[in-house]
Amino acid sequence: MMRELIEQRLQTLMLDGQPVFQHIESATNLDSVIKNNRIAADTAFVIPMTDRGAAEQLNTYQFQQPITTGVGVVIACRSINDRLGSDAIARMESLKVHVRRHLLGWEPSETYEALLFDQGRIVSFSNTAAFWLEQYRSRFTFRGQDHVS
């Protein structure tokens, strides 16, 4: 669910009236993004990364547990005729600032708390593309079945 919400949010990211990303796609893992994609235009890939439960909480009638979910946004910048990658890196730096401004503090739904930034790092650079991974997290409370004591 979080993945879809972030994809929808990124689709609304505009710069000078144009979408920042030509393509926004889901991916199952980071390796598939890097190895299997020819980047024809700046693209964002959204990857579910982690779910981490906090200490259990049992209310009188219903089980509840806070869960922190992590999502990765891979920013892929095309790099053609850019021997050292300086153009791709400059564009990547700009894109990651736009993505952060658009996602940080945003509440994806009534279920999720505001999105927080975890970390960002370059994950691959080739003759044709540069890939930057941004990791975000949000928290929600899982509410289970009613329990009768």
Side-chain angles (χ1 to χ4, degrees), residues 81-99:
N81 298 325
D82 186 11
R83 189 172 57 86
L84 298 176
S86 58
D87 292 339
I89 295 298
R91 207 165 62 259
M92 183 185 299
E93 298 253 325
S94 174
L95 288 173
K96 72 182 185 182
V97 168
H98 289 299
V99 168

Side-chain angles (χ1 to χ4, degrees), residues 114-137:
L115 225 56
L116 301 173
F117 176 76
D118 268 339
Q119 68 175 343
R121 63 186 172 94
I122 195 153
V123 291
S124 180
F125 189 85
S126 70
N127 292 338
T128 60
F131 296 87
W132 178 270
L133 171 63
E134 293 270 293
Q135 289 180 264
Y136 297 92
R137 72 178 185 278

Side-chain angles (χ1 to χ4, degrees), residues 4 29 35-36 40 55 57 59 62 64 71 81 84 91 102-104 107 117 120 128 143 145 149:
E4 295 96 343
N29 62 61
K35 292 178 183 172
N36 299 323
Q57 295 180 4
N59 288 357
Q62 188 180 54
Q64 297 184 35
V71 176
N81 298 325
L84 298 176
R91 207 165 62 259
H102 205 61
L103 293 181
L104 285 176
E107 293 182 13
F117 176 76
T128 60
R143 288 174 171 59
Q145 299 295 321
S149 300

Side-chain angles (χ1 to χ4, degrees), residues 19-38:
V20 168
F21 295 106
Q22 297 300 315
H23 305 284
I24 299 169
E25 301 179 25
S26 293
T28 56
N29 62 61
L30 192 54
D31 288 339
S32 67
V33 168
I34 295 168
K35 292 178 183 172
N36 299 323
N37 283 287
R38 299 198 189 283

Side-chain angles (χ1 to χ4, degrees), residues 39-62:
I39 304 302
D42 294 342
T43 302
F45 296 91
V46 182
I47 304 171
M49 303 286 288
T50 60
D51 280 331
R52 188 170 296 123
E56 291 183 16
Q57 295 180 4
L58 180 60
N59 288 357
T60 307
Y61 297 104
Q62 188 180 54

